[in-house]
């Protein structure tokens, strides 16, 4: 397995729970035909993620609700902007751009032109799927031909990740030492389940049976790569702060 097929060892509880929940959402949404062993591990992941989330106290009303509502409004605003941009290309003088806009618009219709008005769970899963298809998936070239679309896709992706973090964990929860210790132990269990069971099986079967596993494996790998990049940056910032403190 290459470096982007394992979650880095320095992942903290927040990063583990966000990535794990993301994998569960992708699996549930895609609903692929997979072997019994991988299916069993993914169900176990879903269960262990729930335990990890419950390792934190339920936050008091208002601790992060306002942030979450703000992020949801921002996601909806970006999605509406994305729709307006694609619709404008339907009347573009360039024939290639009109053609690609029609293809992208059909995808938006399939996902739901009003998906931003649905509940958070459906909205996040559908928009993440939209971003994946247009950024690295089957319609990457068509999306790239529509100038300005990449900005909306990147913005939606970033806001979804922020929304996931706000939804799963609050600053107040993380501040409690006892809960932090419990969450860390549970996060290590989830981390091990991902790296030693789920990911090796998934990427092995991606090679053996690509027709059944390739789409989900590629989606997993994109999310995994982005999370590992964030972990490396967090660690590098921590090392830098520590070295600066020594110099004082």
């Amino acid at each position: 397995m290459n470096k982007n097929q394992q979650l880095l060892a320095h992942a903290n509880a927040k990063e583990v729970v966000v990535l794990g929940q993301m994998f569960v959402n992708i699996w549930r949404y895609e609903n692929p035909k997979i072997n019994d062993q991988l299916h069993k591990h993914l169900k176990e992941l879903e269960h262990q993620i729930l335990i990890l989330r419950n390792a934190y106290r339920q936050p008091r009303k208002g601790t992060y609700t306002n942030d979450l509502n703000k992020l949801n409004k921002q996601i909806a605003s970006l999605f509406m902007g994305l729709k307006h941009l694609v619709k404008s290309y339907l009347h573009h003088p360039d024939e290639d751009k009109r053609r690609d806009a029609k293809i992208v618009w059909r995808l938006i219709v399939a996902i739901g032109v009003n998906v931003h008005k649905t509940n958070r769970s459906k909205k996040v899963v559908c928009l993440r799927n939209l971003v994946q298809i247009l950024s690295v998936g089957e319609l990457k070239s068509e999306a790239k031909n529509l100038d300005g679309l990449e900005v909306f896709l990147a913005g939606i992706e970033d806001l979804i990740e922020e929304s996931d973090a706000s939804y799963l964990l609050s600053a107040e929860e993380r501040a409690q030492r006892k809960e932090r210790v419990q969450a860390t132990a549970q996060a290590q269990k989830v981390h091990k389940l991902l790296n030693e069971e789920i990911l090796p099986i998934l990427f092995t079967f991606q090679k053996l049976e690509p027709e059944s596993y390739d789409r989900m494996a590629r989606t997993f790998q994109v999310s995994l790569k982005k999370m590992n990049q964030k972990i490396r940056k967090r660690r590098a910032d921590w090392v830098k702060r520590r070295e600066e403190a020594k110099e004082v």
Side-chain angles (χ1 to χ4, degrees), residues 189-226:
K189 188 173 183 178
V190 174
H191 190 286
K192 183 176 181 180
L193 179 60
L194 283 168
N195 275 0
E196 297 186 11
E197 303 293 347
I198 293 173
L199 294 175
I201 294 175
L202 177 62
F203 291 125
T204 296
F205 274 91
Q206 180 188 19
K207 296 177 181 178
L208 297 176
E209 300 179 26
E211 66 281 358
S212 299
Y213 294 87
D214 186 63
R215 180 183 176 88
M216 186 169 75
R218 285 191 294 111
T219 305
F220 272 33
Q221 193 162 2
V222 168
S223 300
L224 186 60
K225 182 178 179 180
K226 286 179 67 66

Side-chain angles (χ1 to χ4, degrees), residues 29-236:
Y29 180 80
E30 297 285 349
N31 194 26
K33 293 182 179 179
I34 54 179
N35 69 57
D36 292 342
Q37 187 179 15
L38 182 56
H39 186 271
K40 176 183 176 182
H41 287 316
L42 285 168
K43 287 196 71 173
E44 178 65 14
L45 174 65
E46 187 172 36
H47 175 65
Q48 294 299 334
I49 286 293
L50 180 61
I51 295 175
L52 178 52
R53 290 172 61 180
N54 288 339
Y56 295 85
R57 287 189 299 107
Q58 288 297 316
R60 292 176 298 183
K61 185 177 181 181
T63 53
Y64 64 93
T65 301
N66 290 336
D67 286 343
L68 189 58
N69 288 338
K70 181 179 179 181
L71 287 167
N72 283 336
K73 289 179 181 179
Q74 290 174 336
I75 291 171
S77 178
L78 279 180
F79 178 64
M80 288 188 289
L82 181 149
K83 288 194 299 179
H84 289 314
L85 178 68
V86 175
K87 288 179 74 174
S88 71
Y89 275 109
L90 294 174
H91 308 288
H92 198 278
D94 185 282
E95 183 179 351
D96 290 339
K97 290 187 182 296
R98 290 200 307 273
R99 180 201 63 216
D100 290 341
K102 288 178 182 178
I103 294 172
V104 173
W105 183 253
R106 283 198 292 268
L107 173 63
I108 294 173
V109 171
I111 287 176
V113 293
N114 291 318
V115 70
H116 60 292
K117 298 180 181 179
T118 60
N119 64 64
R120 182 190 176 279
S121 178
K122 181 177 181 180
K123 174 169 54 186
V124 166
V125 170
C126 289
L127 289 182
R128 181 177 282 123
N129 192 45
L130 175 72
V131 170
Q132 191 275 330
I133 294 172
L134 295 179
S135 298
V136 297
E138 298 89 331
L139 301 185
K140 178 181 178 180
S141 60
E142 287 83 352
K144 194 171 183 178
N145 192 32
L146 306 181
D147 298 331
L149 188 59
E150 290 181 350
V151 175
F152 283 102
L153 294 173
I156 290 172
E157 186 174 28
D158 288 343
L159 287 174
I160 285 175
E161 290 185 5
E162 286 186 47
S163 177
D164 282 342
S166 294
Y167 180 72
L168 295 171
L169 303 171
S170 73
E172 179 185 3
E173 291 171 310
R174 296 194 302 271
Q176 300 300 319
R177 175 178 174 81
K178 181 178 179 181
E179 293 156 358
R180 185 166 60 245
V181 171
Q182 292 172 340
T184 299
Q186 180 63 20
Q188 291 171 349
K189 188 173 183 178
V190 174
H191 190 286
K192 183 176 181 180
L193 179 60
L194 283 168
N195 275 0
E196 297 186 11
E197 303 293 347
I198 293 173
L199 294 175
I201 294 175
L202 177 62
F203 291 125
T204 296
F205 274 91
Q206 180 188 19
K207 296 177 181 178
L208 297 176
E209 300 179 26
E211 66 281 358
S212 299
Y213 294 87
D214 186 63
R215 180 183 176 88
M216 186 169 75
R218 285 191 294 111
T219 305
F220 272 33
Q221 193 162 2
V222 168
S223 300
L224 186 60
K225 182 178 179 180
K226 286 179 67 66
M227 182 60 75
N228 281 341
Q229 288 172 340
K230 288 190 174 186
I231 295 169
R232 291 189 184 97
K233 184 179 184 304
R234 174 176 58 76
R235 289 285 298 177

Side-chain angles (χ1 to χ4, degrees), residues 16-33:
V16 170
V17 76
V18 169
L19 185 69
Q21 187 65 58
M22 194 182 301
F23 282 4
V24 169
N25 291 344
I26 293 169
W27 165 55
R28 287 296 188 187
Y29 180 80
E30 297 285 349
N31 194 26
K33 293 182 179 179

